[in-house]
Amino acid sequence: MTSQEIKNLTHQYIMNTYGRFPVAIDHGRGARLYDPEGREYIDFTSGIGVTDLGYGYQPWADAVADQAKKLNHVSNLFYTEPAARLAEILCRRTGESCVFFANGGGEANEGLIKLARKYSFDKYGQGRATIITLKSSFHGRTVTTLKATGQDVFHNYFFPFTEGFRYAAANDLDDLEAAAGDDVCAVMVELVQGEGGVLPLNPEYVKALAELCAQRDWLLLADEVQTGVGRTGTLFAFQQYGILPDAVSFAKGIAGGLPMSGVLASEKCRDVLGPGTHATTFGANPICAAAGLVVQETLSDAFLEEVKAKGAYLRKGIEALNLPCFGKTRGLGLMIGIEVKDGFTNKDIASKLIENGLLVLTAGPGMRLLPPLVITREEMDKGLEIMGRVLA
Ligand SMILES: *Cc1c(COP(=O)(O)O)cnc(C)c1O
């Protein structure tokens, strides 16, 4: 099919919930994507932080194909090796104690919320179910995680929302204490707010927050759906902040492009969700888990160091272009935000870059770059060249 035929069919038959850019993608290699007519795009998006090993990565494709031929699905009523091995690796590499596997980020965060509420219910009974989240956060699109999201624009249309969330300003412990009360069971944060605009939390704030949570027996929940799986230059961002959250959600990059997510829980929380309290039919799917194992094998410590170096290289390259529309860059590893100056809009900039062969994302009022973690210097240079040429 041609790009135009794909667009027409999409408009006719897929629910119109996305504001898409006018590009159809057919295949990819490394950090390069191609439309059906063969036009090349440099990818600084990873399908919104998902394809950490890029496109056409042979070990990943082989593992997926082999597992698909061997066993596609049996449900969690039985045991399977790929999920057990992936859970072991995740626990060993993080210091967490056990894993619950699910399918998407919002669903993983629902797991965090259920875990926190049941932990508190088991220990203190009812009336201690409130979770504090941060302003400018994003936690998902389910009726509950919309309400957990600390942005008013998400609290519309779908009333009634789930109760039990209050919001505090990021990096402000006084504001968090003011929002607290006897009814709180947990605090949920993104260590780098993604959709909100690539806003890293201050390390001092995070340390103090972890201490406060421990004192009050509030669970510290880290939403690492976007920051997890090597994106920030460590396997999980919390490892750079010197904390061990009580529970962590992950999703996007975990299986390199297949739908998988989950919750990592600490020793204190490992028995909170017992048989019958939480489940999902597709969770721990063997094909997704086999893909996840290749991601874990690839993300060695040396590879993660390279993610940090590549992130620094790309940020330096962008700042050196001195573009009239861009201010400072920020972020961690290959999760990069670029300030957009007054008089320019991020959507227009994104459209121009995409038209000219560079795929980018927006977040909050700025730009957001999430290139595949395997991106090469040469591919980054190509992207920078397009940026410089189009936006000068
Ligand atoms: C993307 C994202 C989610 C939602 O994940 P879905 O897979 O779209 O449900 C939740 N939290 C954060 C931080 C995210 O970046």
Side-chain angles (χ1 to χ4, degrees):
M1 289 177 94
T2 66
S3 290
Q4 196 53 54
E5 286 167 344
I6 295 168
K7 285 182 221 170
N8 291 347
L9 209 58
T10 300
H11 289 145
Q12 193 169 353
Y13 289 111
I14 294 184
M15 200 179 287
N16 186 29
T17 62
Y18 298 103
R20 295 179 206 267
F21 292 103
V23 175
I25 299 297
D26 182 69
H27 61 281
R29 182 129 306 254
R32 295 167 196 259
L33 290 166
Y34 300 88
D35 74 8
E37 288 75 32
R39 180 139 192 253
E40 182 180 287
Y41 296 86
I42 296 290
D43 179 33
F44 282 1
T45 72
S46 303
I48 323 186
V50 169
T51 53
D52 33 24
L53 305 184
Y55 308 96
Y57 187 70
Q58 201 61 49
W60 183 89
D62 288 344
V64 169
D66 290 348
Q67 186 59 47
K69 288 178 211 159
K70 193 174 170 198
L71 178 71
N72 45 348
H73 175 85
V74 282
S75 91
N76 290 295
L77 298 176
F78 305 99
Y79 298 86
T80 54
E81 180 178 326
R85 285 179 52 213
L86 181 58
E88 179 197 17
I89 291 170
L90 290 171
C91 290
R92 282 186 195 268
R93 294 186 77 176
T94 58
E96 298 289 357
S97 173
C98 61
V99 179
F100 176 87
F101 285 114
N103 312 286
E107 189 192 354
N109 288 337
E110 293 267 352
L112 288 184
I113 292 162
K114 284 179 71 176
L115 177 81
R117 288 185 171 177
K118 180 141 186 311
Y119 171 84
S120 189
F121 181 90
D122 290 348
K123 204 160 162 185
Y124 303 98
Q126 271 190 41
R128 195 175 175 279
T130 298
I131 296 171
I132 299 178
T133 66
L134 299 184
K135 292 178 183 163
S136 300
S137 60
F138 179 79
H139 297 298
R141 295 283 188 164
T142 65
V143 173
T144 297
T145 56
L146 278 173
K147 190 66 182 193
T149 292
Q151 302 183 53
D152 290 339
V153 292
F154 289 96
H155 307 157
N156 208 349
Y157 317 124
F158 309 110
F159 306 101
F161 288 98
T162 308
E163 288 171 34
F165 295 95
R166 283 202 297 275
Y167 315 102
N171 293 318
D172 185 341
L173 210 61
D174 292 339
D175 198 54
L176 193 132
E177 294 222 54
D182 296 341
D183 60 340
V184 171
C185 65
V187 179
M188 177 155 74
V189 302
E190 301 162 84
L191 292 161
V192 183
Q193 294 186 325
E195 307 297 318
V198 191
L199 308 164
L201 296 184
N202 296 334
E204 308 75 45
Y205 169 78
V206 173
K207 276 248 167 70
L209 175 62
E211 277 168 28
L212 185 67
C213 286
Q215 275 168 24
R216 309 271 176 100
D217 201 17
W218 300 337
L219 294 192
L220 178 55
L221 309 174
D223 176 351
E224 295 236 28
V225 166
Q226 191 159 156
T227 52
V229 200
R231 176 56 51 191
T232 66
T234 45
L235 192 59
F236 284 88
F238 75 75
Q239 294 167 310
Q240 287 177 66
Y241 281 88
I243 58 162
L244 185 65
D246 296 298
V248 181
S249 61
F250 57 84
K252 292 189 163 91
I254 187 71
L258 290 181
M260 184 177 227
S261 72
V263 169
L264 274 157
S266 63
E267 189 59 33
K268 160 168 124 176
C269 297
R270 68 171 291 131
D271 297 321
V272 172
L273 294 173
T277 61
H278 198 43
T280 168
T281 300
F282 284 117
N285 173 275
I287 302 175
C288 299
L293 285 169
V294 178
V295 171
Q296 290 302 316
E297 280 158 26
T298 309
L299 269 53
S300 64
D301 290 346
F303 180 98
L304 293 171
E305 280 307 312
E306 259 295 286
V307 169
K308 285 185 192 160
K310 288 192 265 192
Y313 179 84
L314 192 52
R315 284 178 61 179
K316 216 170 130 206
I318 293 163
E319 294 193 351
L321 291 173
N322 254 318
L323 295 168
C325 56
F326 286 166
K328 285 218 159 352
T329 66
R330 60 175 170 251
L332 279 181
L334 279 170
M335 181 170 181
I336 298 173
I338 315 172
E339 222 174 84
V340 169
K341 285 196 181 149
D342 287 347
F344 299 91
T345 57
N346 58 359
K347 290 268 161 24
D348 290 344
I349 294 170
S351 292
K352 277 216 182 77
L353 290 172
I354 290 168
E355 241 170 70
N356 284 280
L358 176 61
L359 305 188
V360 297
L361 297 163
T362 60
M367 310 303 300
R368 176 175 45 149
L369 309 181
L370 303 172
L373 304 182
V374 296
I375 195 166
T376 63
R377 299 287 195 289
E378 191 228 330
E379 287 162 337
M380 287 191 282
D381 288 344
K382 184 85 206 291
L384 288 167
E385 183 269 314
I386 295 170
M387 231 181 230
R389 177 158 46 82
V390 173
L391 302 177

